[in-house]
Amino acid sequence: VTDPEHIVICAGFAQGVHLVLRALAETGLRCVAVEDPGHCETRTVSGMVAAKVTPVPVDAGGMVVDELRKTAAGAVVLTPAHQTPTGVVLAPERRQALVDWACRAGATIIEDDYDAEFRYDREPVGAMQGLAPAHVALLGTVSKSLAPALRLGWIVCPPALTAGVAKQKQLADHGSPGLDQLALALLIESGRYDRHLRRMRGVYARRRARLKNALAAYAPQVELQGLEAGFHAVLQLPAEADEQGVITAARERGVGLYPMSEYRAGGQTTPPRLVLGFGNVSDDAVERGIARIADLLRGSG
Amino acid sequence: VTDPEHIVICAGFAQGVHLVLRALAETGLRCVAVEDPGHCETRTVSGMVAAKVTPVPVDAGGMVVDELRKTAAGAVVLTPAHQTPTGVVLAPERRQALVDWACRAGATIIEDDYDAEFRYDREPVGAMQGLAPAHVALLGTVSKSLAPALRLGWIVCPPALTAGVAKQKQLADHGSPGLDQLALALLIESGRYDRHLRRMRGVYARRRARLKNALAAYAPQVELQGLEAGFHAVLQLPAEADEQGVITAARERGVGLYPMSEYRAGGQTTPPRLVLGFGNVSDDAVERGIARIADLLRGSG
């Protein structure tokens, strides 16, 4: 829900969140809330701009808004469509509670529309931005849908913040490359971008199904968590498992996994969970990889 | 004088100076010296990163290094090849004095290699970076030589600063677009970039000559200052002239000029001078423009 003049083109999510936070800092922002677990770079970037960064817990319904309300945050960065890394979606009542919080506190929701295009089980949920355009900065990117090397994204700004965000973009790099923007516009206008998304949804859905089947076959004790969406999945290990031990052993066998503890503000390791990306590997590699580390996942490696 | 691993690709000068200053700030930089007159954006960006920005005067020999020595600056941003906006070159003894200052103070010289490729009267002077690779961060860009819309530049880092600059680039935007870099590499390797530079040197030299001839014909009282280089020139007006008055009147006649006062840290207007860009107008437009405002330049408008 916006007009073209409130969209600022940027170099993907990393820069987008930086620019919005800097624009907010110019208007007095002191404290930023982030998801826990969440993307560690978001914590780093928030800490570069704001005096305080407050982690807010995420459960099966997404960010716990009751906990957010207890903070002094003037902005929150979150991934409502498909939480990074847990893979849950923000529950409908939480979405409304979040919007109510932003309106009452005069706060800004920085919505990372991270892989919202890649839901495999149903139509994606709408962006929160549509619920409260004056309080949400919506960040989108083609880093996942096309390629990270393109470095193209966009910020749908709350109208009162557009000039500030545009100023920060100007100061940061004088704008994103023009030819790349024209090429992307052509791709979108021609309908090929939509066709690409539809095709890739099928590719990634099939790959996720292969992952699920491989787990059922080789390590049925391990729970695959999160939505049927995106390019990563979360595996919950038996309670006594050692995240870092499994990861180190898997790496020695040529299989790359990430520990959930890396995404935790406090580095906690319970319950032991692994984050597993399947976006840039082949269907066969997913299955071979699970087979190769099945004993580790089962806790018998 | 560097190795490929000490070059960080960035989005042009604007971002380059930002990244180098942020990397220096992480190591304790508090005060940055800038040229006066100089690029006002450099002052703004320096002020976003460092606690203090100190303007240092520029005379016919470039930055006055004796004045720089009196400051507490831990870094200086300057345009030695062709000073912006005065158009002078940093004198040989000043170059050496600047390097001595940097070595003794443990300071960093941020060298904007702004339009060094576009000298029309002789071979361009070498970059200062070659004199003291451990103390100079050299910034280059294709914004002037190809097009600003490309947003591609490079930072030749002092080796001790490379990791810090690369980290800041990663945090800022995860790197510059890959396809654009590959296209530029191809252009350079094929020899076409060099051919383009040679051709454009002729085009701009001819345009500057047209400007000089037009001034001699229509406003011989006005002095054309600065090197035969780049895409802008400085006109010194009669002492009693009013910079802003001339600019406003010229704009009403469709001719765009800039006041030197815009480049002064303190906004001073003496002696009255105009900055005039000829990079993106046709040869004919340069001559027509001067003819159209000749009375204003002569002080009789």
Side-chain angles (χ1 to χ4, degrees):
Chain A
V1 180
T2 191
D3 294 310
E5 65 260 39
H6 293 299
I7 298 177
V8 175
I9 303 299
C10 66
F13 175 73
Q15 187 182 52
V17 72
H18 222 122
L19 299 178
V20 173
L21 287 175
R22 281 200 193 286
L24 288 170
E26 290 247 312
T27 70
L29 177 73
R30 301 275 304 156
C31 177
V32 179
V34 298
E35 297 171 314
D36 182 20
H39 207 291
C40 56
E41 198 180 278
T42 299
R43 284 198 299 273
T44 307
V45 168
S46 300
M48 287 171 65
V49 179
K52 192 169 178 216
V53 180
T54 305
V56 175
V58 168
D59 65 18
M63 180 177 272
V64 182
V65 182
D66 283 343
E67 294 295 324
L68 173 64
R69 273 203 209 90
K70 297 176 191 167
T71 72
V76 58
V77 187
L78 83 173
T79 50
H82 184 213
Q83 207 269 335
T84 304
T86 64
V88 301
V89 68
L90 190 67
E93 66 279 11
R94 297 265 177 95
R95 295 163 71 91
Q96 192 54 55
L98 194 62
V99 167
D100 291 346
W101 166 80
C103 292
R104 266 175 228 170
T108 303
I109 298 166
I110 302 174
E111 177 177 19
D112 182 359
D113 202 22
Y114 168 70
D115 72 25
E117 303 94 337
F118 292 99
R119 182 90 188 234
Y120 311 131
D121 52 344
R122 47 158 284 184
E123 286 295 298
V125 295
M128 296 202 50
Q129 191 271 344
L131 300 178
H135 288 280
V136 179
L138 174 68
L139 306 186
T141 172
V142 297
S143 294
K144 281 89 179 180
S145 58
L146 290 174
L150 294 177
R151 309 310 313 133
L152 272 180
W154 50 88
I155 308 166
V156 180
C157 300
L161 204 61
T162 307
V165 172
K167 179 188 151 198
Q168 292 299 326
K169 175 64 177 168
Q170 172 69 16
L171 286 170
D173 62 11
H174 285 202
S176 287
L179 295 177
D180 306 52
Q181 294 183 56
L182 291 170
L184 178 59
L186 198 63
L187 193 73
I188 294 171
E189 283 163 8
S190 70
R192 284 181 201 170
Y193 182 67
D194 275 345
R195 282 208 297 280
H196 172 75
L197 286 182
R198 275 198 295 278
R199 190 172 78 80
M200 293 312 291
R201 264 195 288 270
V203 168
Y204 292 126
R206 197 173 58 231
R207 199 171 298 160
R208 192 179 187 280
R210 285 283 285 271
L211 168 64
K212 198 173 171 178
N213 293 341
L215 280 168
Y218 298 110
Q221 305 87 333
V222 172
E223 187 192 343
L224 177 64
Q225 298 182 325
L227 291 182
E228 290 186 30
F231 323 108
H232 72 269
V234 173
L235 304 186
Q236 178 146 347
L237 301 179
E240 69 285 3
D242 163 28
E243 273 184 13
Q244 198 53 59
V246 172
I247 280 157
T248 306
R251 195 161 295 270
E252 281 166 9
R253 301 182 193 179
V255 178
L257 303 161
Y258 301 89
M260 178 62 78
S261 53
E262 243 179 47
Y263 295 86
R264 305 291 298 263
Q268 307 94 319
T269 57
T270 54
R273 285 185 288 181
L274 305 178
V275 181
L276 180 158
F278 58 86
N280 60 353
V281 289
S282 72
D283 291 8
D284 285 346
V286 167
E287 189 161 338
R288 276 201 314 273
I290 293 296
R292 199 177 297 168
I293 60 167
D295 58 327
L296 302 173
L297 297 177
R298 289 191 309 258
S300 58
Chain B
V1 180
T2 191
D3 293 310
E5 65 260 39
H6 294 299
I7 298 178
V8 175
I9 302 299
C10 66
F13 175 74
Q15 186 182 52
V17 72
H18 223 122
L19 300 177
V20 173
L21 288 175
R22 280 199 195 287
L24 288 170
E26 291 246 312
T27 69
L29 177 73
R30 300 275 305 154
C31 176
V32 180
V34 297
E35 296 171 315
D36 182 19
H39 207 291
C40 56
E41 198 180 278
T42 299
R43 283 198 300 274
T44 306
V45 168
S46 300
M48 287 170 66
V49 179
K52 192 169 179 217
V53 181
T54 305
V56 174
V58 169
D59 64 18
M63 180 176 273
V64 182
V65 181
D66 283 344
E67 294 295 323
L68 173 63
R69 273 203 209 91
K70 296 175 191 166
T71 72
V76 58
V77 188
L78 82 173
T79 51
H82 185 213
Q83 207 269 335
T84 305
T86 64
V88 301
V89 68
L90 190 67
E93 65 279 11
R94 297 264 178 96
R95 295 162 72 91
Q96 192 54 54
L98 194 63
V99 167
D100 291 347
W101 166 80
C103 292
R104 266 176 230 168
T108 303
I109 298 166
I110 302 174
E111 176 177 21
D112 182 0
D113 203 23
Y114 167 71
D115 72 26
E117 302 95 338
F118 292 98
R119 183 92 188 234
Y120 311 131
D121 52 344
R122 47 159 282 182
E123 285 296 298
V125 295
M128 295 203 50
Q129 192 271 343
L131 299 178
H135 288 281
V136 179
L138 174 68
L139 306 186
T141 171
V142 297
S143 294
K144 280 89 179 181
S145 58
L146 289 174
L150 293 178
R151 308 311 313 133
L152 271 181
W154 50 89
I155 308 167
V156 179
C157 300
L161 204 62
T162 307
V165 171
K167 178 189 151 197
Q168 292 300 324
K169 175 65 177 169
Q170 172 69 16
L171 286 169
D173 61 13
H174 286 202
S176 286
L179 295 177
D180 306 51
Q181 294 183 55
L182 290 171
L184 178 59
L186 198 62
L187 193 73
I188 294 171
E189 283 163 7
S190 71
R192 286 180 200 169
Y193 182 67
D194 275 345
R195 283 208 296 281
H196 172 74
L197 286 182
R198 275 198 295 279
R199 191 172 77 80
M200 293 312 292
R201 265 196 288 269
V203 168
Y204 292 126
R206 196 171 61 230
R207 199 172 297 160
R208 192 179 186 280
R210 285 285 284 270
L211 168 64
K212 198 172 172 179
N213 292 341
L215 280 168
Y218 297 110
Q221 304 88 333
V222 173
E223 187 191 343
L224 179 65
Q225 298 181 326
L227 292 183
E228 290 187 28
F231 323 107
H232 72 270
V234 174
L235 305 185
Q236 178 147 345
L237 301 179
E240 69 284 3
D242 163 29
E243 274 185 12
Q244 197 54 59
V246 171
I247 279 156
T248 307
R251 195 162 294 270
E252 281 166 10
R253 300 182 193 180
V255 178
L257 302 161
Y258 301 89
M260 179 62 78
S261 54
E262 242 178 46
Y263 296 86
R264 305 291 298 264
Q268 307 93 319
T269 57
T270 56
R273 286 185 288 181
L274 305 179
V275 181
L276 181 157
F278 58 87
N280 61 352
V281 288
S282 72
D283 292 7
D284 285 347
V286 167
E287 189 162 339
R288 276 202 313 273
I290 294 296
R292 198 177 296 168
I293 61 167
D295 59 327
L296 301 173
L297 297 177
R298 289 191 310 257
S300 58

